[in-house]
Amino acid sequence: MAFGINKEELKAWKKTVSSGNIGILTHFWMDDRFPDSYSVTKVGCTNIEKLTKWGEQYGLDPRWIHRDERFPHFDLFGEYQKQVLMNEKQWDQLKRFNLDTQK
């Protein structure tokens, strides 16, 4: 279940991803499979080669790409999530989802 974002943010992420650019979107999320995570960062791009190359700089395995038909993306949690948001200067997302205070 996703929450904490609005339609405009989701629409902008989809437009960025669909245009072949790297899109980054964080939202609150609950899933029993990941009891220690309360948010997820989705980093997507329809250009799988570009997404794969982008992920290499963070040590992300290309097998982790959710090969969604319309919006392929990485789902990032925990330390990967925080490190990517910091390196990509996504200060608003870090603060908004309280990831700037996590150790």
Side-chain angles (χ1 to χ4, degrees):
M1 170 185 285
F3 51 98
I5 57 172
N6 61 46
K7 289 180 184 180
E8 290 77 27
E9 291 169 308
L10 181 58
K11 185 176 178 180
W13 181 81
K14 288 180 175 181
K15 183 177 181 180
T16 299
V17 172
S18 294
S19 67
N21 293 309
I22 300 293
I24 301 173
L25 179 71
T26 302
H27 59 79
F28 289 117
W29 179 75
M30 295 174 66
D31 188 315
D32 291 340
R33 297 172 297 167
F34 303 95
D36 296 329
S37 296
Y38 62 87
S39 66
V40 61
T41 297
K42 294 187 176 294
V43 180
C45 183
T46 54
N47 181 329
I48 298 291
E49 185 177 328
K50 185 175 186 177
L51 184 59
T52 299
K53 185 173 173 109
W54 178 90
E56 286 175 358
Q57 69 185 308
Y58 298 109
L60 304 179
D61 190 321
R63 294 176 295 177
W64 298 347
I65 295 173
H66 179 195
R67 294 183 181 260
D68 183 273
E69 186 176 305
R70 294 177 52 207
F71 305 108
H73 63 276
F74 286 105
D75 286 321
L76 305 179
F77 309 95
E79 197 55 40
Y80 280 113
Q81 178 185 30
K82 186 175 178 179
Q83 193 62 47
V84 165
L85 290 172
M86 289 175 62
N87 287 356
E88 297 292 327
K89 298 177 175 46
Q90 298 294 312
W91 311 123
D92 180 59
Q93 292 186 50
L94 280 160
K95 184 175 180 179
R96 184 171 165 196
F97 296 95
N98 299 314
L99 297 165
D100 57 341
T101 60
Q102 287 184 345
K103 293 183 179 180

